[in-house]
Amino acid sequence: MEEANLRKRREEEKSIQSNEPKTTNLQKELGLFSGICIIVGTIIGSGIFISPKSVLSNTEAVGPSLIVWAACGILATLGALCFAELGTMITKSGGEYPYLMEAFGPIPAYLFSWTSLFVTKPSSFAIICLSFSEYVSAPFYSGCNPPQIVVKCLAAAAILLITIVNALSVRLGSYVQNVFTAAKLVIVAIIIISGLVLLAQGNTRNFENSFEGPKLSVGAISLAFYNGLWAYDGWNQLNYITEELKNPFRNLPLAIIIGILLVTGCYILMNVSYFTVMTATELLQSQAVAVTFGDRVLYPASWVVPLFVAISTIGAANGTCFTSGRLVYVASREGHMLKVLSYVSVKHLTPAPAIIFYGIITTIYIIPGDINSLVNYFSFAAWLFYGLTIFGLIVMRFTRKELERPIKVPIFIPILVTLLSVFLVLAPIITQPAWEYLYCVLFILSGLLFYFLFVHYKFRWAQKISRPLTMHLQMLMEVVPPEEAPE
């Protein structure tokens, strides 16, 4: 009944404002430039300003560190090419979710949405917002660390602001992303150009004997890749919003390829710039690599570095919220989450309930405190599902031959990426076992309990609770189910 009332109001508004869209659904408002900005803006966040230290601590030499950064870029590019085929073959939003659904059925898809909604996506969003708040508050507490309450409150404020922006308008969220991406490319350009000028002036001593160091173990290499790939995380973000892309068959693969190659080039050159100014030991001792670089090269204008790093991190957080809210929306649309999370705002045509729910989960993650230790935990879960999704691409080459494939990558690419994913998942467990990996697996498997209770068997008592909750939230937020689901 409440759905009919909202639809009636919608029709009455249409008679007054005839220029509004004809359907209450997500609208195609993102072009090629916005797609590239979402990829570049989401990938280049806090990672490149933090991860160089973590990668170097595992490789223990400059040469292997640069090789790891280049190899991470190649792996992200190969993975992105596989996702370009998947995204043009199955043109649904939600990233890995619809691909796992098509390839393996509802259970793997549900476990992915369960893990992403409650672990990987909100923990990543929280880490980025905490990094932002630390950079913003640091100038006000020179000589000491900012109080944790200040850092957490700033992070919560950032999450609230980003959630409101993305719940209000797709176009506004896209404009914010474009502006922040342009701003972060400014600081990237400043660091790269400064480093190349110093390199041209003969500052090459830190690159001498760059491969001298202790013998690398398999576990150390995999952990170096984890930290490097965390800085590249976001290479698949455009697949979460496929339904909102104009001409996705053209713009999705183009935006992915251009965006990933641009980021890879920037990352390698930024690391080269860091090493022109700092030795390996100095870089490991630095609390914030980019800030140390600014203090040594850009003084007295070194203040621009923490300012632009803060802009970079908030831009990455905006891109993460923009795309991850669509995962909640699609999973709910398939009946795997609370029904109201698949509803679309009548006024703004955004998946507002999904975005707000995602913001609430992320805010909970900042309460415990320092969660940077979750990077390995996050990467383990992420690459488990990346590998499974790309293996699904191989499976669908044989089981879903009838699907149209505007882009078709050579079969050796998904096979190679699947094998590398298996290595990234198993190597650290075998060489450096930790309880975190067991907790991660147990949490993923615990999703089966909720799947059978609430999705497969649909117990009546659960529906008795969810129906009035859905009705009240629908009236409060003025949202309705999408009028048509894309095929």
Side-chain angles (χ1 to χ4, degrees):
M1 184 68 184
E2 71 280 357
E3 293 175 13
N5 291 337
L6 280 172
R7 287 198 186 283
K8 187 177 179 182
R9 283 182 55 190
R10 179 70 178 167
E11 288 169 5
E12 289 171 355
E13 288 174 3
K14 281 182 192 176
S15 64
I16 301 170
Q17 298 177 333
S18 58
N19 61 337
E20 287 197 12
K22 293 181 180 178
T23 60
T24 308
N25 211 331
L26 302 185
Q27 305 298 304
K28 293 183 180 292
E29 296 186 355
L30 305 175
L32 176 61
F33 180 72
S34 291
I36 294 170
C37 284
I38 286 171
I39 288 179
V40 174
T42 306
I43 295 178
I44 302 179
S46 58
I48 189 57
F49 308 110
I50 296 170
S51 290
K53 181 177 173 179
S54 303
V55 172
L56 184 62
S57 67
N58 284 291
T59 58
E60 299 187 38
V62 174
S65 172
L66 293 175
I67 289 174
V68 166
W69 280 104
C72 287
I74 293 169
L75 179 54
T77 304
L78 293 177
L81 287 171
C82 296
F83 269 67
E85 176 176 332
L86 286 165
T88 52
M89 179 174 68
I90 303 167
T91 55
K92 292 182 180 179
S93 294
E96 293 92 322
Y97 181 87
Y99 314 145
L100 290 169
M101 180 73 82
E102 290 286 343
F104 303 113
I107 293 179
Y110 179 84
L111 291 179
F112 166 74
S113 63
W114 164 261
T115 307
S116 297
L117 176 58
F118 291 106
V119 178
T120 56
K121 298 301 180 185
S123 67
S124 175
F125 192 9
I127 289 170
I128 294 169
C129 288
L130 284 168
S131 300
F132 160 77
S133 59
E134 286 172 1
Y135 272 105
V136 168
S137 57
F140 299 97
Y141 296 91
S142 57
C144 64
N145 292 326
Q148 279 296 303
I149 187 66
V150 172
V151 172
K152 290 178 185 179
C153 287
L154 276 173
I159 292 167
L160 177 64
L161 178 63
I162 291 166
T163 301
I164 291 171
V165 166
N166 284 281
L168 285 178
S169 170
V170 172
R171 193 165 293 175
L172 178 60
S174 173
Y175 285 157
V176 168
Q177 190 64 31
N178 294 353
V179 170
F180 280 135
T181 299
K184 72 177 63 182
L185 288 177
V186 170
I187 189 60
V188 168
I190 289 171
I191 291 174
I192 290 173
I193 292 169
S194 302
L196 292 179
V197 168
L198 291 170
L199 198 64
Q201 291 173 350
N203 291 285
T204 58
R205 62 187 179 278
N206 293 338
F207 295 97
E208 296 171 2
N209 304 317
S210 57
F211 286 90
E212 287 187 359
K215 188 176 179 181
L216 293 174
S217 67
V218 174
I221 293 171
S222 62
L223 288 174
F225 266 91
Y226 268 11
N227 285 280
L229 288 167
W230 182 67
Y232 279 96
D233 192 66
W235 51 267
N236 63 327
Q237 292 298 295
L238 212 57
N239 292 71
Y240 283 81
I241 54 169
T242 306
E243 293 171 29
E244 293 162 88
L245 275 179
K246 298 173 183 175
N247 192 4
F249 294 128
R250 170 184 175 271
N251 290 336
L252 179 67
L254 270 179
I256 287 173
I257 293 167
I258 294 170
I260 300 289
L261 292 178
L262 179 61
V263 170
T264 303
C266 289
Y267 276 9
I268 293 171
L269 291 174
M270 285 180 77
N271 275 279
V272 169
S273 297
Y274 291 149
F275 287 120
T276 59
V277 174
M278 290 172 273
T279 64
T281 304
E282 289 170 337
L283 192 143
L284 288 173
Q285 291 173 346
S286 171
Q287 292 299 313
V289 178
V291 174
T292 303
F293 179 91
D295 290 339
R296 296 190 179 188
V297 177
L298 302 175
Y299 186 83
S302 56
W303 57 269
V304 303
V305 175
L307 172 65
F308 276 96
V309 169
I311 291 173
S312 177
T313 52
I314 202 72
N318 181 74
T320 301
C321 181
F322 189 93
T323 55
S324 298
R326 273 62 180 177
L327 169 62
V328 184
Y329 165 80
V330 174
S332 178
R333 191 174 65 189
E334 296 291 338
H336 285 180
M337 295 291 168
L338 196 64
K339 187 179 178 183
V340 73
L341 298 178
S342 68
Y343 288 5
V344 177
S345 170
V346 170
K347 291 182 178 179
H348 308 296
L349 298 177
T350 61
I355 291 171
I356 292 168
F357 182 73
Y358 176 66
I360 292 169
I361 296 293
T362 303
T363 305
I364 293 170
Y365 264 79
I366 68 170
I367 294 171
D370 180 21
I371 58 169
N372 287 294
S373 59
L374 285 173
V375 171
N376 290 348
Y377 179 54
F378 164 82
S379 299
F380 170 81
W383 279 95
L384 183 65
F385 285 108
Y386 287 156
L388 186 62
T389 303
I390 293 170
F391 178 66
L393 173 60
I394 301 170
V395 170
M396 285 190 284
R397 286 283 182 93
F398 302 97
T399 61
R400 302 300 302 273
K401 293 181 180 180
E402 77 282 1
L403 292 176
E404 185 182 353
R405 292 171 169 83
I407 294 174
K408 192 173 183 179
V409 297
I411 191 68
F412 77 88
I413 292 180
I415 291 173
L416 177 62
V417 177
T418 302
L419 293 174
L420 288 171
S421 301
V422 171
F423 166 77
L424 286 170
V425 169
L426 295 181
I429 298 175
I430 295 169
T431 58
Q432 298 181 26
W435 286 107
E436 286 84 352
Y437 303 123
L438 177 62
Y439 297 151
C440 184
V441 172
L442 289 176
F443 182 84
I444 292 170
L445 294 178
S446 70
L448 290 172
L449 178 64
F450 287 85
Y451 175 80
F452 285 107
L453 285 178
F454 300 109
V455 178
H456 187 70
Y457 292 110
K458 296 181 180 177
F459 286 146
R460 290 183 180 179
W461 61 266
Q463 293 182 356
K464 286 180 180 179
I465 296 171
S466 65
R467 281 175 182 168
L469 180 64
T470 297
M471 182 184 71
H472 286 95
L473 286 174
Q474 188 179 358
M475 291 189 292
L476 177 67
M477 303 177 71
E478 294 191 336
V479 291
V480 295
E483 290 183 16
E484 56 181 21
E487 296 182 3

